[in-house]
Each structure stands twice: as structure tokens, then as C-alpha cells.
Amino acid sequence: MNLMPLVFDRFEHYLIKQVPKVASFHPYFETALWEMVLNGGKRFRPKLLLSVVASYKPKMIEKAFAPALAIEILHTYSLIHDDLPAMDNATLRRGCQTLHTKYDETSAILVGDGLNTHAFYLLTKAKLKPKIKVKLIQSLSYNGGIYGMVLGQALDCHFERQNLPLKQLKTIHLNKTAKLIAASLQMGGILAECDKKTCKILYALGLDLGLFFQIRDDIIDATQSEQEAGKPTHQDSIKNSYVNLLGLEGAKLEAKNLENSIKAQLKALKVEKIFNTLLSHYF
């Protein structure tokens, strides 16, 4: 019996209960702070982390909820900032108004800042061994910060309207998208106290998964409507995307090659059964 849907459901209830209480005389900051977190999303990164823990050390599942939430809210902060007028200027995210559209740009920036820092506060308060906390903080800050996601965003924005070669495009997306997904798997391995070799394999798998999802996102942007995607589409015309560089069919072939590589890597890991179920919707 697949127990992971029950685990994911428990995590969602946990997430809802963790709304920060930020008492002040600001008319809507406290509401706006958790609004985009509650607006759904696939919870893909927390699910990856929890799936690794469930595969290697299931008794740690409850203690893994705080780190899973930390990576989810750091990801949410990145989406809020990505949607800002200075970046993608999007009006829709997860089927809802973006924060800068519903409230104002200043509030959206500050909510993003707040979620970013709150992610690390959650890790410090988690009921875990100090050495595990430090490793989790290192992984999330490295992959979500200047050596990962933030660098990727900087490259992506700076090189708009310029055609980059495939190698540089891959570098952008490894940092912008893949490293935070890889961190989800790595953090799961840390929580389960896997050996260094297993954590390294999980991280490499996460990088391929991240590239796969970036290419898939590029294809969605090129082929789906705003209603189908739950966010603005046809936004990548001035960006370096796999569809723009390789064409739609070339991007689909690249995604298929990565899918085959991911499936092969899964066979060498204890997570194969759980991950095949989790990823079946995307493959």
C-alpha cells in the first residue's frame, strides 16, 4: 500500500497550521505573508524531501515536516520575487493574483524577504540534532542563494534578448531551477542520515530532475494558455529557453532524454518505487 498520499496530506495540514503570527498595526502584512504559501502549488520540493526520508528512515517523517516547509516557503519567496514588475511582471501565480498585483510592490518584496529568512528560522527551531540542522542550513542556503537559485535568476535576467549557447543556457537553469530541487533530495538524505555516497547520488539525480522540469516549464510556456497553466504563458519570447534555442520538438527530445536518464538513476536507489509514483504525472 502506498502511504505517501497520507504523508503528503499530513504535511499539508501541518503547513496550514504553521501560519506565522505577526501582530502589528499593518492592515494586511500578516495575511499577505502566508497567502501565496496557502494558494496551493504542487509542493513538489517538500514531496521529494519527504519521499527520501520515507524511503530511508520512515520514523523521521514527522521531524522532516519543518525542513520540508522551509524549502517550500523559500521556493515561494522566489516565485513572489520572480513575478515582480522588475522581473517577469506576472499578474497570476497558482491561479491567483500575484501579491504585487493584489496589494502593492513594496509588500510583495517584503513578504518575499520575510519568507526567505523565515525558512532558516524554521530550520533552527526544528527538533533535530544540531549537526543535522547545520547541514540542512548549509544545503538550503548554498543551493537557494548566491551559489544557486539567486545566481541563476541574475544570469537569466541579465541575458534576456541575447541568444546564449546551450552550455550557458544549461548553466542558468542548473542554478535557477535545478539546484533547489537537488537540495530537496539532498536534505532528505541528510535527515535520513544517508552516507555521503548516497547523498551525492541523490543530489545528482535532483540536478537532472531540475533540468527536466525547467524544459517542461519552457514547453508549457510555449504551448499552454494562461488558464491551463495557472500563470501567464508565452512569456519566454525574450528569454533564453530550451524551446527558443532548440525548437519545440528539440526541447521535447531533450526532456525525453533526461526522463530516461532519471529513470535509470532511480533504479540504483531505494527511492525508485515511491519516486516512480510521484513522477508518473510528469513523465
Side-chain angles (χ1 to χ4, degrees), residues 155-173:
L155 290 168
D156 191 40
C157 291
H158 183 77
F159 288 98
E160 285 183 357
R161 304 181 191 277
Q162 300 178 54
N163 293 323
L164 296 177
L166 184 60
K167 183 179 178 180
Q168 290 184 332
L169 176 66
K170 186 176 179 180
T171 297
I172 288 175
H173 289 147

Side-chain angles (χ1 to χ4, degrees), residues 11-207:
F11 171 71
E12 192 66 25
H13 284 290
Y14 171 84
L15 176 150
I16 292 167
K17 290 181 178 178
Q18 298 306 307
V19 179
K21 302 300 179 186
V22 189
S24 78
F25 52 88
H26 194 287
Y28 51 77
F29 179 76
E30 185 179 61
T31 301
L33 183 64
W34 215 242
E35 186 170 319
M36 196 60 69
V37 180
L38 294 175
N39 278 347
K42 297 180 289 290
R43 312 292 189 218
F44 185 63
R45 290 152 191 81
K47 286 178 179 178
L48 290 174
L49 184 153
L50 294 171
S51 295
V52 173
V53 175
S55 299
Y56 288 96
K57 192 174 281 189
K59 66 180 182 180
M60 283 290 292
I61 280 289
E62 295 290 337
K63 290 184 178 180
F65 282 177
L69 180 57
I71 202 162
E72 176 67 7
I73 67 171
L74 188 126
H75 170 60
T76 303
Y77 120 74
S78 76
L79 300 180
I80 293 167
H81 280 194
D82 195 37
D83 289 336
L84 289 168
M87 297 180 74
D88 285 353
N89 196 23
T91 58
L92 197 67
R93 172 68 71 175
R94 294 174 173 172
C96 301
Q97 275 186 290
T98 49
L99 293 187
H100 73 272
T101 305
K102 183 174 180 179
Y103 299 106
D104 54 75
E105 189 175 355
T106 301
S107 295
I109 292 169
L110 293 171
V111 164
D113 291 343
L115 292 177
N116 182 2
T117 51
H118 191 61
F120 297 98
Y121 177 74
L122 288 176
L123 290 177
T124 66
K125 298 292 286 183
K127 296 177 181 178
L128 299 164
K129 298 174 187 174
K131 67 176 184 179
I132 290 179
K133 289 185 186 183
V134 170
K135 288 180 180 179
L136 292 172
I137 290 168
Q138 286 177 333
S139 177
L140 189 56
S141 58
Y142 178 88
N143 291 287
I146 61 173
Y147 303 110
M149 183 183 69
V150 173
L151 171 62
Q153 288 282 36
L155 290 168
D156 191 40
C157 291
H158 183 77
F159 288 98
E160 285 183 357
R161 304 181 191 277
Q162 300 178 54
N163 293 323
L164 296 177
L166 184 60
K167 183 179 178 180
Q168 290 184 332
L169 176 66
K170 186 176 179 180
T171 297
I172 288 175
H173 289 147
L174 276 170
N175 285 283
K176 178 185 172 184
T177 303
K179 284 189 178 179
L180 200 58
I181 288 175
S184 305
L185 298 179
Q186 186 179 58
M187 290 168 70
I190 291 166
L191 284 160
E193 297 186 87
C194 295
D195 58 69
K196 287 184 180 179
K197 182 181 178 182
T198 301
C199 286
K200 189 175 180 180
I201 293 170
L202 286 167
Y203 188 79
L205 170 65
L207 292 178

Side-chain angles (χ1 to χ4, degrees), residues 48 51-56 185 198 202 205 265-277:
L48 290 174
S51 295
V52 173
V53 175
S55 299
Y56 288 96
L185 298 179
T198 301
L202 286 167
L205 170 65
Q265 290 175 70
L266 284 173
K267 288 180 179 178
L269 291 164
K270 199 174 178 179
V271 299
E272 183 183 12
K273 187 175 180 181
I274 290 176
F275 271 54
N276 281 339
T277 302

